[in-house]
């Protein structure tokens, strides 16, 4: 039988024209419609199959279950489960991406819990010890900290000399360095912290001006002990030179000529109110961000307090999707609470795994080592590697264009404070850290066992060095009868570590002081707890950066 429509396009077209002409002579009024009908028949006869690349099978088998579709339409049970999963991913991201904001919030709450108010100062006159829960703090330096509320206007922060500090916003973003790495370069100075969208008068001079993107500000820093053994003179300097108070527009920094030109008002010139200091040493404080339901409640409080534009829309989107929206009540139903609680548990477990068991081999500082620090690769914004310092000058790296998500989560799960000063290769300035979560055999540390590490002669520091031991669960200093779980080159708050005849120094980690080991060379562990450690080099020198000097791995003794 001859086909109604031949296959070739040319023959097909000719045939269609003949049919159209024939129909026109027979039934002129219906010719156009008949022709369209014939075209439709032809198209249906020749319609290609749907490409597999855009098809959705009737059954989709995944690691979270099987999903059913009928001609691309999900069944009700499939749609319900997929929406549960979508809400789970939003809640999961709210933990992984925004934990840093809750961390700042927890720090602020802890200071308020001990009676502190905005513009007041907390100083640890006898160092920080293991009684307080602070993410990887140290027991070597005098800590100073406080919080500001910029919703009332700019605030002046006078930093003391010989200080090493940083100002952070409500989302734990760097605002400005204080002290040595900052514009005052360790001489001390006045910093004017300006709130978002502030368009009022600012001084022409006399201040280091830094603009913030949030109203809540947390600042903190450290001062080194004089002669590595006496905190009292340092604390006196801190109390004498540290001041925090509201900025008076038109005061110091505003020339009279600006007033005469009608460009500024004249403010008061008078001493600022005395700054209130609180003692931190020995105080029990919990500054750790929670991983129970209160996490979401605190995250909502951060969003409500800060400007709606304080965080990138891509990061604020998942929060809005789970009901955390500025200006609206946070009231998830039971379904959402269940999903969000599960996402919280998975997010915390993932963050803990990233921190305790890093998977990226590039993070480790030496080949086949447990010592790691990824900030050299990611920079303080977890995006572009930090510049190299060469004989010819600074050698910046090009922007990568992406965020290293694992590094960001790792960092904020275990560390307080981020600044360019933590990620620089500049000898003699700041401090550098190496973390070890595992021993020489890549096993996590057991508090019931004995370990040791050896630092070769010529430890690359121009100031001092130290080890600090931390509790795996709290990421805070391990609480033992020692109180200060540290060992190092300074002889306060515990004796200085003693070097061997060949110039090397060995530090031991054990629940009991090993026989023949000096007190200063031993850090006590808890038989019931796991631990990790950080090696700190204060004012690191070139052998650290060129890796010509390398600590041993931490070896199991028994």
């Amino acid at each position: 039988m001859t086909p109604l429509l031949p296959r070739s396009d040319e023959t097909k077209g000719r045939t269609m024209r003949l049919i159209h002409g024939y129909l026109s002579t027979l039934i002129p009024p219906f010719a156009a419609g008949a022709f369209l009908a014939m075209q439709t028949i032809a198209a249906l006869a020749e319609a290609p199959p749907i490409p597999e690349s855009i098809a959705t099978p009737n059954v989709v088998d995944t690691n979270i279950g099987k999903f059913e579709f009928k001609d691309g339409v999900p069944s009700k049970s499939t749609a319900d489960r997929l929406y549960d999963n979508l809400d789970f991913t939003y809640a999961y991201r709210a933990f992984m991406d925004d934990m840093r904001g809750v961390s700042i919030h927890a720090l602020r709450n802890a200071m308020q819990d001990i009676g502190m108010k905005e513009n007041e100062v907390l100083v640890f006159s006898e160092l920080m010890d293991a009684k307080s829960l602070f993410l990887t703090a140290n027991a070597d330096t005098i800590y100073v900290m406080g919080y500001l509320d910029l919703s009332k206007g700019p605030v002046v922060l006078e930093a003391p000399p010989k200080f090493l500090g940083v100002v952070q916003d409500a989302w734990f973003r760097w605002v400005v360095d204080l002290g040595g790495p900052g514009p005052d370069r360790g001489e001390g100075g006045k910093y004017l912290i300006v709130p978002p969208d502030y368009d009022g008068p600012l001084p022409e001079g006399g201040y280091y001006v830094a603009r913030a993107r949030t109203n809540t500000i947390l600042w903190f820093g450290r001062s080194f002990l004089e002669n590595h053994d006496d905190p009292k003179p340092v604390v006196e300097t801190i109390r004498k030179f540290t001041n925090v108070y509201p900025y008076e527009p038109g005061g110091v920094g505003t020339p009279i000529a600006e007033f005469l030109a009608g460009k500024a008002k004249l403010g008061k010139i008078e001493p600022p109110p005395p700054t209130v200091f609180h003692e931190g040493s020995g105080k029990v404080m919990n500054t750790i961000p929670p991983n129970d339901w209160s996490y979401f409640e605190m995250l909502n409080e951060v969003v409500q307090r800060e400007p709606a534009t304080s965080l990138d829309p891509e990061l604020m989107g998942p929060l809005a999707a789970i009901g955390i929206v500025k200006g609206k009540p946070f009231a998830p139903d039971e379904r959402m609470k269940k999903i969000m609680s599960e996402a919280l548990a998975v997010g915390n477990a993932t963050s803990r795994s990233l921190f305790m068991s890093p998977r990226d081999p590039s993070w480790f500082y030496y080949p086949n080592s447990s010592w790691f620090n990824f900030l050299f690769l990611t920079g303080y914004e977890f995006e572009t590697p930090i510049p190299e310092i060469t004989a010819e000058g600074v050698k910046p790296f090009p922007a990568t264009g992406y965020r290293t998500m694992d590094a960001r989560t790792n960092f904020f799960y275990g560390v307080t404070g981020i600044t360019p000063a933590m990620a620089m290769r500049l000898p003699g300035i700041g401090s550098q850290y190496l973390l070890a979560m595992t021993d020489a055999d890549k096993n996590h540390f057991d508090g019931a066992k004995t370990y040791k590490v050896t630092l070769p002669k010529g430890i690359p520091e121009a100031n001092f060095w130290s080890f600090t031991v931390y509790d795996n669960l709290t990421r805070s200093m391990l609480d033992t009868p020692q109180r200060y779980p540290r060992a190092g080159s300074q002889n306060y708050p515990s004796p200085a570590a003693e070097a061997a005849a060949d110039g090397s120094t060995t530090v031991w980690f054990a629940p009991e002081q090993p026989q023949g080991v000096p007190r200063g060379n031993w850090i006590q562990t808890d038989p019931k707890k796991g631990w990790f450690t950080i090696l700190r080099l204060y004012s690191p020198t070139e052998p650290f950066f060129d890796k010509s000097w390398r600590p041993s791995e931490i070896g199991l003794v028994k």
Side-chain angles (χ1 to χ4, degrees), residues 35 92 198 239 259 268 337 355 381 426 448 462 479 522:
F35 182 64
Y92 177 79
Y198 177 80
R239 288 179 174 270
F259 167 71
K268 300 177 183 178
K337 282 186 177 180
F355 186 68
E381 291 185 311
L426 198 58
D479 193 3
W522 166 59

Side-chain angles (χ1 to χ4, degrees), residues 64-206:
I64 59 172
K66 288 185 178 181
F67 301 115
E68 297 175 344
F69 295 85
K70 183 177 181 180
D71 194 26
V73 178
S75 66
K76 185 180 184 307
S77 63
T78 289
D80 288 345
R81 283 187 293 133
L82 286 170
Y83 279 125
D84 286 351
N85 182 67
L86 183 60
D87 291 336
F88 178 94
T89 62
Y90 290 141
Y92 177 79
R93 283 195 59 191
F95 188 89
M96 300 293 285
D97 295 342
D98 301 311
M99 177 200 327
R100 54 212 172 105
V102 176
S103 187
I104 285 285
H105 190 77
L107 280 158
R108 177 178 174 273
N109 283 359
M111 285 187 266
Q112 290 179 331
D113 288 345
I114 64 169
M116 281 185 65
K117 299 177 182 178
E118 63 192 68
N119 300 347
E120 297 181 346
V121 178
L122 179 65
V123 57
F124 290 79
S125 300
E126 296 180 6
L127 306 186
M128 192 181 294
D129 63 20
K131 296 301 179 186
S132 289
L133 299 178
F134 277 82
L135 292 174
T136 53
N138 69 67
D140 305 313
T141 60
I142 304 295
Y143 274 99
V144 188
M145 63 187 68
Y147 69 91
L148 315 177
D149 181 0
L150 302 183
S151 65
K152 303 172 185 177
V155 174
V156 179
L157 168 56
E158 295 186 9
K162 299 179 181 180
F163 195 59
L164 188 68
V166 64
V167 175
Q168 314 271 198
D169 77 4
W171 293 109
F172 232 135
R173 292 174 301 209
W174 175 73
V175 177
V176 68
D177 285 321
L178 309 172
D184 74 81
R185 300 295 298 276
E187 297 298 313
K190 295 180 179 180
Y191 289 79
L192 183 61
I193 314 301
V194 182
D197 302 324
Y198 177 80
D199 58 2
L202 291 174
E204 287 194 1

Side-chain angles (χ1 to χ4, degrees), residues 139-443:
D140 305 313
T141 60
I142 304 295
Y143 274 99
V144 188
M145 63 187 68
Y147 69 91
L148 315 177
D149 181 0
L150 302 183
S151 65
K152 303 172 185 177
V155 174
V156 179
L157 168 56
E158 295 186 9
K162 299 179 181 180
F163 195 59
L164 188 68
V166 64
V167 175
Q168 314 271 198
D169 77 4
W171 293 109
F172 232 135
R173 292 174 301 209
W174 175 73
V175 177
V176 68
D177 285 321
L178 309 172
D184 74 81
R185 300 295 298 276
E187 297 298 313
K190 295 180 179 180
Y191 289 79
L192 183 61
I193 314 301
V194 182
D197 302 324
Y198 177 80
D199 58 2
L202 291 174
E204 287 194 1
Y207 300 85
Y208 305 111
V209 179
R211 288 188 174 272
R213 287 181 279 177
T214 64
N215 290 320
T216 300
I217 292 295
L218 189 131
W219 66 273
F220 50 87
R222 299 160 292 159
S223 290
F224 299 150
L225 306 185
E226 287 195 7
N227 302 316
H228 307 313
D229 63 0
D230 189 359
K232 292 181 181 178
V234 180
V235 174
E236 289 176 3
T237 298
I238 290 169
R239 288 179 174 270
K240 179 178 179 180
F241 291 101
T242 305
N243 289 291
V244 187
Y245 50 89
Y247 170 66
E248 178 68 38
V252 173
T254 301
I256 296 295
E258 289 290 295
F259 167 71
L260 296 176
K263 298 179 180 179
K265 71 173 187 177
L266 288 184
K268 300 177 183 178
I269 304 295
E270 58 184 15
T275 296
V276 175
F277 287 86
H278 295 257
E279 180 56 56
S281 293
K283 282 239 172 65
V284 176
M285 301 173 63
N286 177 17
T287 71
I288 310 299
N291 49 263
D292 62 5
W293 182 256
S294 63
Y295 173 88
F296 288 117
E297 294 174 334
M298 294 174 71
L299 184 59
N300 179 60
E301 290 173 9
V302 177
V303 170
Q304 300 305 328
R305 181 181 299 114
E306 302 305 328
T309 56
S310 69
L311 192 64
D312 186 283
E314 288 289 332
L315 291 174
M316 199 66 87
L319 306 192
I322 60 175
I324 298 178
V325 179
K326 185 172 177 63
K328 295 184 179 181
F330 175 51
D333 58 22
E334 289 306 312
R335 168 188 166 274
M336 279 299 296
K337 282 186 177 180
K338 181 177 184 298
I339 291 171
M340 291 168 66
S341 296
E342 291 174 353
L344 189 70
V346 175
N348 179 65
T350 304
S351 301
R352 179 168 288 280
S353 296
L354 284 169
F355 186 68
M356 299 302 304
S357 302
R359 66 176 178 174
D360 190 332
S362 69
W363 289 7
F364 294 90
Y365 200 59
Y366 309 100
N368 302 314
S369 176
S370 289
W371 296 109
F372 76 93
N373 183 337
F374 47 72
L375 289 179
F376 291 107
L377 299 175
T378 68
Y380 76 100
E381 291 185 311
F382 312 101
E383 188 260 327
T384 301
I386 63 175
E388 287 187 315
I389 307 300
T390 70
E392 294 73 32
V394 177
K395 181 183 176 183
F397 287 91
T400 63
Y402 63 83
R403 193 84 63 202
T404 308
M405 310 302 285
D406 285 0
R408 184 175 70 181
T409 298
N410 174 305
F411 186 89
F412 287 111
Y413 195 76
V415 182
T416 297
I418 187 64
T419 161
M422 297 178 72
M424 60 182 178
R425 294 187 175 95
L426 198 58
I429 296 181
S431 54
Q432 284 296 342
Y433 314 136
L434 290 177
L435 292 81
M437 302 291 172
T438 57
D439 64 17
D441 298 318
K442 304 298 187 293
N443 296 315

Side-chain angles (χ1 to χ4, degrees), residues 451-484:
Y451 302 83
K452 68 175 181 178
V453 61
T454 297
L455 304 182
K457 180 180 179 181
I459 301 172
E461 46 80 13
N463 202 324
F464 66 99
W465 63 269
S466 75
F467 282 102
T468 308
V469 167
Y470 299 96
D471 186 318
N472 282 349
L473 282 176
T474 66
R475 293 94 75 200
S476 303
M477 283 189 276
L478 185 67
D479 193 3
T480 68
Q482 274 189 344
R483 185 182 176 191
Y484 302 99

